[in-house]
């Protein structure tokens, strides 16, 4: 994790964790794009404030007008609050974690693209990517069950954001959901 700069872990993990949660990368056309990964605090393992971590990271964006934030959080209210907190200062706040895409993609007032949860890429004939029989057994019996990844029925889910490279303002966000062949 320390040797691969493209691999990001949550920026607001407790200090001393290996890796980084922020990077500036260059597109094939030479456009710098800053990317940060944050983890929420509500119903998640302990982490520092994602709000203050994001504020500090924005000072390190350099020449990157485009800034994409992957906010891995459990509750919709915390994701929405992050979108509003960063509105006009980043290009996009893309929520992740629940594995279920939300239908609230929008451009916020300050020009930030936002979606509460982009969904997941993985097997959808499952319970959040795990074999449904094992998950159902755990819910029905209350007994511990070892989860195993499901297979088949894979769907690619993402968000496509159109933005101005000079200003970093988003002009469009679109949910994408594409079934992949087995």
């Amino acid at each position: 994790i320390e040797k691969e700069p493209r691999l990001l872990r949550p920026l607001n993990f407790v200090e001393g964790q290996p890796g980084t949660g922020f990077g500036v990368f260059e597109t094939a056309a030479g456009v710098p794009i800053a990317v940060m990964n944050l983890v929420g605090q509500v119903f998640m393992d302990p982490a520092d404030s994602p709000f203050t971590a994001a504020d500090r990271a924005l000072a390190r964006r350099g020449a990157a007008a485009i800034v994409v934030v992957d906010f891995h959080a459990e509750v919709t209210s915390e994701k929405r609050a992050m979108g509003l907190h960063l509105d006009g200062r980043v290009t996009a706040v893309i929520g992740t974690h629940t594995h279920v895409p939300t239908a609230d993609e929008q451009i916020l007032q300050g020009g930030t693209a936002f979606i509460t949860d982009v969904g997941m890429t993985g097997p959808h004939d499952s319970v959040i990517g795990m074999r449904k029989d094992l998950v159902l057994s755990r819910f029905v019996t209350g007994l511990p069950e070892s989860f195993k990844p499901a297979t088949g029925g894979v769907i690619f889910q993402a968000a496509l954001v159109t933005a101005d490279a000079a200003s970093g303002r988003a002009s469009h966000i679109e949910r994408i959901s594409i079934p992949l062949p087995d």
Side-chain angles (χ1 to χ4, degrees):
I1 191 169
E2 299 225 358
K3 294 178 182 176
E4 178 51 68
R6 297 173 299 172
L7 182 60
L8 299 180
R9 51 97 169 137
L11 176 66
N12 58 317
F13 270 0
V14 177
E15 193 173 325
Q17 299 291 327
T20 184
F22 179 83
V24 178
F25 308 95
E26 205 169 278
T27 68
V31 177
I33 297 178
V35 180
M36 80 174 79
N37 178 276
L38 299 164
V39 67
Q41 291 182 303
V42 180
F43 303 129
M44 302 289 282
D45 290 331
D48 293 337
S49 168
F51 296 89
T52 57
D55 292 341
R56 284 192 305 268
L58 287 176
R60 299 186 297 158
R61 72 195 290 169
I66 296 177
V67 180
V68 177
V69 177
D70 168 9
F71 190 34
H72 192 78
E74 183 72 42
V75 297
T76 58
S77 58
E78 189 177 21
K79 293 178 190 183
R80 178 72 176 176
M82 181 62 73
L84 296 172
H85 179 70
L86 295 175
D87 186 24
R89 299 189 293 149
V90 303
T91 307
V93 174
I94 308 296
T96 60
H97 182 64
T98 64
H99 300 204
V100 179
T102 55
D104 63 343
E105 69 275 11
Q106 63 184 287
I107 305 299
L108 300 174
Q109 193 171 21
T112 295
F114 174 81
I115 187 166
T116 300
D117 203 292
V118 74
M120 75 170 200
T121 294
H124 278 251
D125 187 21
S126 68
V127 176
I128 64 169
M130 297 295 120
R131 278 185 29 199
K132 59 188 176 188
D133 60 323
L134 301 175
V135 177
L136 285 170
S137 174
R138 183 174 181 174
F139 278 117
V140 170
T141 67
L143 297 173
E145 187 72 55
S146 178
F147 293 161
K148 293 183 176 76
T151 58
V154 174
I155 298 177
F156 170 80
Q157 293 180 319
L160 176 64
V161 176
T162 304
D164 179 67
S167 70
R169 290 179 65 98
S171 57
H172 183 75
I173 181 170
E174 178 180 345
R175 278 180 291 136
I176 297 172
S177 188
I178 303 170
L180 301 177
D182 286 334

